[in-house]
Amino acid sequence: MKKVILLLPLFLFNFSFAQTSKSNFTLETRKITDYPFNPVISEKVNDKIVLKKEYEFLDSLNFQSINYKSFDNLKLRGFLIEPKKKGNYPVLIYNRGGNGNFGAVKSGFLTEFLSKIANEGYIVIGSQLRGTSVSEGVDEFGGKDVNDVLSLFEIIDQLPNADKSRIGVFGWSRGVMTNFLMLKKTNRIKTNIAIAGQADLIESKRPEMFGVYRERIPGYAKDSVAALKTRSSLLAIDSIQNKKVSHFIIQGNKDVKVDISNAFAFYSKLNSKEYTTRLLVYENEGHDLEIVNDNLLNQIADWLKRYL
């Protein structure tokens, strides 16, 4: 997950705001000025908090948290950013990284990164997944939590400004696995943006991740190889439903969490299956791609204009 200044804790989505009720979910609207002071996007002028000029566009967006239920009746939390102006906007599902509370999407990432994508004329939606302090259940790291994201389609189908025929996925780190597992289960995804994802969990070069697997993945202790194979992004490519989905693979070549060889493995296999695929490697960048933030946003915007 990209590092940003996070000034609002995960419970930000627990506040009560003006609610919009739907048949299977509720939306809670939050104004940017309601958030605690964030010096990245705001400044104090005459004792008033105002948006900095470069972030004035935030006033043109709606920020909402989503309360919804999983297929197995758990209470889950998600987020939604959309232009205030009525229209027919393509939808980008953002799949978070990390596990449990670590890597959950915070206000800083919403306002400083995902909002810039929404401002290009997109609805951005995502799930915090089961097993966080704002959602019930236990994180299975590529198990039932994938269905938590797939359930967002039911919400998307009820959004009046959403173009239901133009839906993409954008995953970072663990979110790349979620992307590919979703592609096995639905043909509604038109494009897949994958940043710094592990192609095959078995090949991880981070010993601490195997502790995460043991803790999170059901059946891991009994048969670790089988458990990890069901979560393999590389193997999932063989079962992608939409054979026309495009893929944008992005990674820094100095990533110490996910080796750059994973990006090449993705690119090679997707090409062998004749998918439209682009590989973008950032020199001297790590897992979070911090220094190239602006260029990364421009690259994503250009890709979405072409393929979503």
Side-chain angles (χ1 to χ4, degrees), residues 188-205:
R188 295 185 63 183
I189 297 169
K190 290 192 66 177
T191 194
N192 165 34
I193 300 173
I195 299 182
Q198 184 74 41
D200 189 337
L201 298 186
I202 295 175
E203 300 298 325
S204 175
K205 299 183 185 302

Side-chain angles (χ1 to χ4, degrees), residues 9-198:
L10 184 58
F11 59 76
L12 74 93
F13 294 110
N14 283 328
F15 290 95
S16 295
F17 314 113
Q19 291 195 358
T20 301
S21 296
K22 302 293 183 181
S23 59
N24 59 344
F25 67 99
T26 61
L27 299 177
E28 300 177 352
T29 302
R30 181 85 185 221
K31 295 180 180 179
I32 293 300
T33 52
D34 291 335
Y35 289 117
F37 178 69
N38 181 345
V40 174
I41 67 173
S42 304
E43 57 188 353
K44 291 184 178 180
V45 179
N46 297 326
D47 293 326
K48 291 184 179 181
I49 298 176
V50 298
L51 292 171
K52 292 182 179 179
K53 186 175 180 60
E54 60 269 35
Y55 282 96
E56 288 178 353
F57 72 88
L58 294 174
D59 278 333
S60 68
L61 301 172
N62 282 325
F63 290 80
Q64 301 180 90
S65 61
I66 307 169
N67 300 294
Y68 72 108
K69 286 195 174 183
S70 66
F71 72 99
D72 50 354
N73 211 37
L74 296 177
K75 294 179 181 178
L76 303 177
R77 192 67 65 118
F79 54 88
L80 173 71
I81 313 172
E82 61 179 344
K84 289 180 179 178
K85 184 179 179 180
K86 292 186 181 300
N88 192 33
Y89 301 106
V91 180
L92 188 63
I93 299 172
Y94 179 74
N95 286 319
R96 49 157 288 198
N99 59 91
N101 281 331
F102 174 72
V105 177
K106 308 286 182 62
S107 63
F109 191 66
L110 289 172
T111 56
E112 297 166 40
F113 192 87
L114 293 181
S115 66
K116 294 180 179 179
I117 297 175
N119 191 50
E120 295 292 325
Y122 299 93
I123 293 173
V124 180
I125 191 172
S127 175
Q128 297 287 18
L129 304 180
R130 62 186 59 210
T132 68
S133 60
V134 294
S135 296
E136 295 179 338
V138 177
D139 182 3
E140 295 186 358
F141 204 81
K144 293 177 181 177
D145 46 280
V146 177
N147 291 314
D148 296 345
V149 183
L150 289 166
S151 294
L152 295 177
F153 281 103
E154 298 176 23
I155 299 173
I156 293 168
D157 287 340
Q158 296 180 63
L159 297 177
N161 292 330
D163 185 341
K164 287 79 175 174
S165 67
R166 299 167 66 195
I167 301 174
V169 289
F170 169 23
W172 205 315
S173 195
R174 176 251 185 91
V176 172
M177 172 183 66
T178 307
N179 282 11
F180 280 98
L181 295 181
M182 290 177 69
L183 291 173
K184 290 175 61 176
K185 296 187 176 185
T186 178
N187 63 0
R188 295 185 63 183
I189 297 169
K190 290 192 66 177
T191 194
N192 165 34
I193 300 173
I195 299 182
Q198 184 74 41

Side-chain angles (χ1 to χ4, degrees), residues 202 220 223-230:
I202 295 175
Y220 182 85
D223 191 340
S224 61
V225 173
L228 295 182
K229 279 186 175 181
T230 64

